Amino acid sequence: MVRDWAAVFDLDTDAEDLLEHFDREWFRGRSYRHLPDARHGVERGTAIFDDVVVRGYPSIPRALVLEPAVEAHFEGPVAVEEKLDGYNVRLARIDGDLLAFTRSGFVCPYTTAKVGELLDLGDFFADYPEQVLCGELVGPENPYTEHDYPEVEEAAFYVFDVRHRETGDPMDVPRRRECCAEYGVASVSHYGTFAPEAAAEAAIETIRDLDARGREGIVLKSVDGERALKHTTSAIHRSDLEHAFGLPFDYGRDFLFTRVMREAFQAVEFGESPEEARERARKLGESILLPAVETVRAVEAGEAVGDTHTVRADPAVVEALLSHFRDKGLKLAVERDEREGDRRVVEFTKIARSTRDKTAYYLDGGTVDE
């Protein structure tokens, strides 16, 4: 069946103007297309399998100052839920197969296998075949992020949204949470539902608590799931900067301004004293300088620098993942590669070439044009 893609995506232009921006990939011998960047009002990560559409997850705006943002953004009750630091995954069943889509719409072989191990979703998709489970995959054994949670030994999946596969329409928050509980699927933590005038204060108190525990932040949602805002902790801002300045010539500049300004607005909204603001500044400065110093020393010592990950799965799944990274031009340094029973465990570093090469250049006497 040839579908009218302009109608499917509600385009005001010719469908080919959109479709030309899709990348083509293969999964288990089957071709599909995915949209790596938002185009013509269609979300990044939208994927097409034959005539089946899986909509990308919409971008959530960030509130720098909670009280006025909540007042401007919401008219009715507001649900406050935890925002986790992992990677965004959408789970859909297509022609009987459970597939895990990353944020860009790539069907990740490792994530698909991992959620198949972690979750039994047969009953859910039997009852809701056209819905998509949107969630965060967290834990120390994943190929994309490095943040650990003490309650997660290897990997875990937490649902933060359920949406219609083709339209992207969300399930309302109460129904979504009831649905996840009914089918035994873990959800992100829910801190309550509040009237708009009380939501900002509740959100600030939640942020303070999460910050003290080194966690990422919150998402505020209208109960119908249609509107959302995110806000993050000082702890995660520093963690982001530590990561970025551990690889300064790859990520440093892009991360710096936004995180520093988030800290500035948060310090003001929290009513911090000069001493408290100075302590915030000290922690922020350390998160920038100390990892950069460590990286320069590592390059000087000839050590690999980059993002290090551990994956554990069927050998064929691990090989498919590593091959995908290499096909994308990533240089991998394998630190450990062993078998544990019928699973292959690999620890590898995605080499940060720009940081490695530029740091080595300056250590050898290279100069900077200013």
Side-chain angles (χ1 to χ4, degrees):
M1 178 179 69
V2 178
R3 302 194 63 182
D4 181 353
W5 296 115
V8 169
F9 293 114
D10 192 24
L11 300 176
D12 57 5
T13 185
D14 187 83
E16 286 304 316
D17 291 340
L18 170 67
L19 296 176
E20 68 180 1
H21 296 290
F22 278 72
D23 290 344
R24 186 171 294 277
E25 299 279 358
W26 293 82
F27 183 73
R28 296 176 182 168
R30 186 174 179 182
S31 173
Y32 70 97
R33 293 175 287 178
H34 68 103
L35 188 64
D37 298 293
R39 300 279 183 175
H40 299 291
V42 179
E43 301 87 352
R44 173 192 178 204
T46 296
I48 301 174
F49 268 77
D50 296 329
D51 62 345
V52 176
V53 174
V54 179
R55 292 298 289 250
Y57 195 78
S59 177
I60 297 177
R62 177 182 299 277
L64 291 181
V65 182
L66 279 165
E67 187 169 353
V70 169
E71 182 180 348
H73 205 71
F74 299 105
E75 296 180 352
V78 181
V80 179
E81 297 184 318
E82 183 169 14
K83 184 181 189 302
L84 294 172
D85 187 12
Y87 63 101
N88 184 302
V89 176
R90 285 161 291 136
L91 305 181
R93 190 168 72 177
I94 299 176
D95 296 336
D97 293 327
L98 176 66
L99 303 178
F101 296 82
T102 64
R103 192 63 188 260
S104 69
F106 170 67
V107 179
C108 175
Y110 179 80
T111 309
T112 296
K114 183 60 68 175
V115 296
E117 294 175 8
L118 294 171
L119 305 171
D120 181 0
L121 298 174
D123 289 345
F124 173 82
F125 282 114
D127 293 339
Y128 296 95
E130 295 187 350
Q131 298 294 319
V132 174
L133 289 171
C134 309
E136 201 82 359
L137 199 143
V138 301
E141 295 191 356
N142 80 74
Y144 301 109
T145 61
E146 297 180 311
H147 190 85
D148 290 346
Y149 285 91
E151 66 269 28
V152 180
E153 184 175 347
E154 292 184 11
F157 181 78
Y158 295 94
V159 172
F160 54 69
D161 219 339
V162 177
R163 289 180 173 257
H164 189 272
R165 190 172 63 192
E166 181 163 306
T167 66
D169 292 339
M171 187 179 288
D172 67 64
V173 174
R175 182 182 171 208
R176 181 246 299 168
R177 298 194 65 82
E178 291 172 2
C179 188
C180 287
E182 179 182 352
Y183 292 94
V185 183
S187 294
V188 294
S189 294
H190 179 79
Y191 300 112
T193 300
F194 306 89
E197 59 271 19
E201 182 178 352
I204 289 172
E205 290 307 309
T206 303
I207 282 289
R208 290 184 187 276
D209 174 65
L210 292 172
D211 184 52
R213 294 190 282 134
R215 298 177 80 94
E216 182 175 12
I218 57 172
V219 175
L220 301 93
K221 287 186 176 180
S222 58
V223 292
D224 62 6
E226 294 285 352
R227 299 179 68 80
L229 288 175
K230 61 186 175 185
H231 190 78
T232 44
T233 65
S234 182
I236 203 65
H237 301 159
R238 296 194 305 272
S239 177
D240 286 348
L241 288 169
E242 286 171 6
H243 173 255
F245 280 87
L247 307 172
F249 295 107
D250 290 86
Y251 303 124
R253 291 181 181 178
D254 292 338
F255 275 64
L256 181 60
F257 180 76
T258 55
R259 270 71 179 182
V260 170
M261 292 313 301
R262 290 175 200 171
E263 287 289 279
F265 281 105
Q266 193 172 87
V268 171
E269 183 167 32
F270 285 13
E272 292 183 357
S273 67
E275 292 76 17
E276 289 170 327
R278 189 173 298 279
E279 177 62 13
R280 183 187 286 262
R282 181 191 65 79
K283 292 178 179 178
L284 193 66
E286 288 183 353
S287 72
I288 294 170
L289 181 59
L290 296 183
V293 171
E294 290 178 7
T295 293
V296 173
R297 287 174 174 160
V299 173
E300 187 177 42
E303 300 171 6
V305 292
D307 293 322
T308 299
H309 306 280
T310 300
V311 294
R312 181 191 309 264
D314 179 89
V317 170
V318 173
E319 188 57 38
L321 175 71
L322 299 180
S323 295
H324 166 71
F325 286 147
R326 292 181 176 120
D327 289 345
K328 292 297 182 183
L330 295 178
K331 181 176 176 57
L332 307 180
V334 175
E335 318 290 346
R336 178 168 65 105
D337 190 347
E338 58 192 31
R339 295 291 183 94
E340 292 186 3
D342 61 353
R343 299 204 288 179
R344 182 182 175 191
V345 183
V346 177
E347 180 181 332
F348 63 94
T349 298
K350 298 174 185 172
I351 299 298
R353 295 181 181 181
S354 181
T355 291
R356 179 198 63 186
D357 295 346
K358 288 185 178 180
T359 302
Y361 169 74
Y362 295 131
L363 284 169
D364 287 341
T367 59
V368 181
D369 292 330
E370 295 181 339

